[in-house]
Amino acid sequence: MPDPNGFLRYDRRLPARRPVPVRIMDWREVYPPAGEELIREQATRCMDCGIPFCHDGCPLGNRIPDWNDLVRTGGWDAAVESLHATNNFPEFTGRLCPAPCEAACVLGLGGQQPVTIKQVEVEIADAAVARGGLRPQPVPAPTGRSVAVVGSGPAGLAAAQQLARAGHAVTVYERDDALGGLLRYGIPDFKLEKRHIDRRLAQLAAEGVRFRTGVNVGVDVTAEELRAEHDAVLLACGALQGRDTPETPGRALRGVHQAMAHLVAANRVVAAAGEGRPALATLPDGRPIDAAGKHVVIIGGGDTAADCLGVAHRQGAAGVHQLDLYPEPPADRDAARDPWPTWPWVLRSYPAHEEGGERVFAVAVQEFVDDGTGQVRAVRIAEVTVEKVDGRRIVTALPGSEREIPADLVLLAIGFEGTEEQPLLAQFGVTRNGRGAVDARPDWQAGADGVFVAGDMHRGASLIVWAIAEGRAAAAAIHAYLGGVGTLPAPVDPARQPLAAR
Ligand SMILES: Cc1cc2nc3c(=O)[nH]c(=O)nc-3n(C[C@H](O)[C@H](O)[C@H](O)COP(=O)(O)OP(=O)(O)OC[C@H]3O[C@@H](n4cnc5c(N)ncnc54)[C@H](O)[C@@H]3O)c2cc1C
Ligand code: SF4
């Protein structure tokens, strides 16, 4: 029986992050472990409210009150089992999820701070490793059916694990040189050290999943070849088409780059250093890219922008500005706009924001300014208002508000335009919709018979928790398509949306 009064005795507390001057000298994760005493205290704040809206907030339907109470009472092994019943990779979500479950925690109804659900989750995930490692599950007798998974991000890997555990022969094809999707070279080590991915991959391999890296499906192997070899194909290729701003004067100047070019290059350098290989951060065309000693301007307000900020400080930037088109959000939920338990529009500060830099809200770049040699020397910005008219965004610059910010390196982190246009799409008979994503039918199929889609490729650029949920659900659909015995869990359907008031 959970403690009904725990939230009255204890305030919400999180472990202190590593000190900023120390952590910006390395690439290691910014959070130290919470310690058993703190995490059991915080789990005690969950009152088992009876109708846990956190379940609906979490796309995976994680059984949050169950594992909170198991942690409260020290039942770590049972908590590990309960968490893994709904989430293949809690070590990823526990570190990186923005935690829509916490926005939906019933404590928020009475003006209390939510339970630290995400922190409890990561502590359970790490306890699994500490208490004997991520043991492979015994695999049932082979079904004789085989599945190709294209893309090794969290959607592809979750589906692969579910299908292998149901007895199907699964091969994951990845065009990159290493597995993990955006978790490998998109997200920096200070948010997710790569040993977590490697540990989980070892578990998948031991459960029978085969991996083929350096294979660009549609180019190195055709859809026809893949279909001849496998009974079903899951496309989980992500939404990696970066949005650009070609119409802004000066976009072609040296020093103005897509954020992902910078992030991927920087993360590859960290990976190489970890393996004892020398490496220089370079763009795909071989030019070096590094923020050291530079005035950096990051355009955008999301995860990608915050990751660029943390990378720029670790590379030794002289100064960083982060520009956002929208006004500064309020510190607290505006209940009239975003009533509990929906995801509120509030100011979100990532650990990278504690490390320095200046955030500038409600501005838009008017021009990237040339230093006379074809290299950017500044951005000219104007204060703006943003309105939605008939679903379209209208940005209006305030006359007389223009000014320059010095810039030697400009990073465009202004979002993604869906999955990339690539030969694989036509070969599998799938097309991009108006958002650049690939629509799925209710059984997760898209295009030709036996071709399924999941994750960012279907949803558009989203979150790890959604990618895992869609990977699990698509695996359930593939299992049914292959005539598998019984059913696999399907936490979401293709039409599922985040909790909304209307
Ligand atoms: C910089 C950044 C930071 C982020 N931070 C967070 C965060 O903190 N928390 C969070 O929840 N979410 C975050 N996200 C979003 C999250 O990473 C994605 O939602 C998630 O990775 C999507 O998973 P996926 O499996 O659908 O695709 P991806 O992770 O994008 O993986 C797709 C894979 O498919 C491969 N592929 C594509 N085409 C082919 C082909 N033809 N052949 C073979 N392989 C192919 C790609 O190389 C890639 O490895 C972040 C995203 C970015 C860009
Ligand atoms: S995966 Fe995200 S939404 Fe689900 S319980 Fe964990 S932190 Fe909350």
Side-chain angles (χ1 to χ4, degrees), residues 78 167 260 367 377 386:
M260 288 307 285
E367 182 187 356
R377 71 160 177 80
V386 185

Side-chain angles (χ1 to χ4, degrees), residues 57-60 62 64 67 87 93 97 99-101 117-118 121 465:
C58 175
L60 285 163
N62 275 348
I64 296 161
W67 37 258
N87 188 354
T93 45
C97 188
C101 55
I117 299 169
K118 170 177 155 169
E121 181 175 27
V465 63

Side-chain angles (χ1 to χ4, degrees), residues 443-457:
D443 63 358
W444 294 95
Q445 292 199 59
D449 180 54
V451 176
F452 297 74
V453 65
D456 278 9
M457 188 174 186

Side-chain angles (χ1 to χ4, degrees), residues 92-93 95-98 149-157 173-176 178-183 186-188 191 212 215-219 236-240 260 263 267 303-305 307-308 350 416 419-420 422-424 454-458 460-468:
F92 305 157
T93 45
R95 283 177 172 78
L96 298 173
C97 188
V149 174
V150 185
S152 67
L157 292 180
Y173 295 83
E174 170 56 56
R175 69 181 172 191
D176 223 328
L179 300 158
L182 280 171
L183 277 54
I187 294 178
K191 277 171 60 178
R212 290 190 56 196
V215 181
N216 189 351
V217 174
V219 178
C237 300
L240 302 167
M260 288 307 285
L263 275 179
N267 292 335
D303 275 325
T304 308
D307 289 357
C308 288
Y350 299 82
F416 294 86
T419 202
E420 295 152 281
Q422 52 168 318
L424 154 152
D456 278 9
M457 188 174 186
H458 160 254
S462 179
L463 296 171
I464 295 162
V465 63
W466 278 102
I468 300 172

Side-chain angles (χ1 to χ4, degrees), residues 170-413:
V170 182
T171 305
V172 176
Y173 295 83
E174 170 56 56
R175 69 181 172 191
D176 223 328
D177 62 350
L179 300 158
L182 280 171
L183 277 54
R184 176 66 63 178
Y185 294 131
I187 294 178
D189 285 53
F190 56 79
K191 277 171 60 178
L192 182 79
E193 289 175 18
K194 306 312 167 197
R195 63 196 163 96
H196 304 298
I197 308 174
D198 296 336
R199 200 180 275 134
R200 196 53 89 166
L201 289 171
Q203 184 195 42
L204 265 74
E207 290 171 351
V209 177
R210 296 197 319 145
F211 296 109
R212 290 190 56 196
T213 52
V215 181
N216 189 351
V217 174
V219 178
D220 301 322
V221 52
T222 64
E224 202 180 337
E225 287 164 335
L226 218 60
R227 301 205 69 194
E229 208 180 314
H230 301 281
D231 298 306
V233 178
L234 173 64
L235 302 178
C237 300
L240 302 167
Q241 185 67 55
R243 183 167 293 131
D244 212 314
T245 174
E247 69 290 351
T248 307
R251 168 63 186 91
L253 292 174
R254 289 194 311 280
V256 182
H257 304 289
Q258 280 281 350
M260 288 307 285
H262 181 233
L263 275 179
V264 171
N267 292 335
R268 282 185 182 278
V269 171
V270 176
E275 292 159 12
R277 289 188 281 124
L280 177 68
T282 56
L283 290 168
D285 66 7
R287 279 182 290 154
I289 178 169
D290 193 341
K294 293 184 179 154
H295 293 283
V296 181
V297 172
I298 301 163
I299 302 172
D303 275 325
T304 308
D307 289 357
C308 288
L309 180 64
V311 166
H313 282 127
R314 281 163 182 75
Q315 289 181 334
V320 191
H321 284 88
Q322 187 188 338
L323 312 183
D324 200 320
L325 194 60
Y326 293 96
E328 182 168 346
D332 297 314
R333 182 194 290 274
D334 173 356
R337 178 195 151 121
D338 305 311
W340 177 91
T342 62
W343 181 244
W345 182 63
V346 293
L347 181 65
R348 291 179 207 285
S349 290
Y350 299 82
H353 291 117
E354 297 169 357
E355 296 166 1
E358 187 183 334
R359 294 168 92 170
V360 188
F361 292 94
V363 292
V365 175
Q366 308 297 298
E367 182 187 356
F368 303 107
V369 185
D370 194 340
D371 73 351
T373 71
Q375 159 71 38
V376 68
R377 71 160 177 80
V379 292
R380 192 160 50 77
I381 59 170
E383 290 171 26
V384 294
T385 56
V386 185
E387 296 172 282
K388 273 261 166 82
V389 179
D390 297 334
R392 281 178 53 239
R393 192 173 70 180
I394 309 288
V395 180
T396 312
L398 300 178
S401 67
E402 290 193 5
R403 65 189 166 103
E404 280 189 7
I405 297 181
D408 314 304
L409 176 62
V410 178
L411 300 171
L412 305 176

Side-chain angles (χ1 to χ4, degrees), residues 20-99:
V20 170
V22 176
R23 73 186 196 224
I24 61 164
M25 302 302 289
D26 63 45
W27 295 89
R28 290 182 15 244
E29 284 174 7
V30 303
Y31 293 103
E36 177 149 355
E37 195 183 333
L38 173 60
I39 213 64
R40 287 180 67 170
E41 170 197 290
Q42 290 300 305
T44 304
R45 294 187 70 241
C46 178
M47 63 178 130
D48 192 12
C49 51
I51 302 182
F53 276 81
C54 53
H55 279 202
D56 294 317
C58 175
L60 285 163
N62 275 348
R63 300 168 188 167
I64 296 161
D66 289 6
W67 37 258
N68 274 334
D69 197 47
L70 288 163
V71 167
R72 178 182 76 85
T73 54
W76 286 96
D77 289 335
V80 166
E81 199 179 321
S82 172
L83 180 52
H84 280 95
T86 53
N87 188 354
N88 297 68
F89 313 129
E91 65 280 23
F92 305 157
T93 45
R95 283 177 172 78
L96 298 173
C97 188

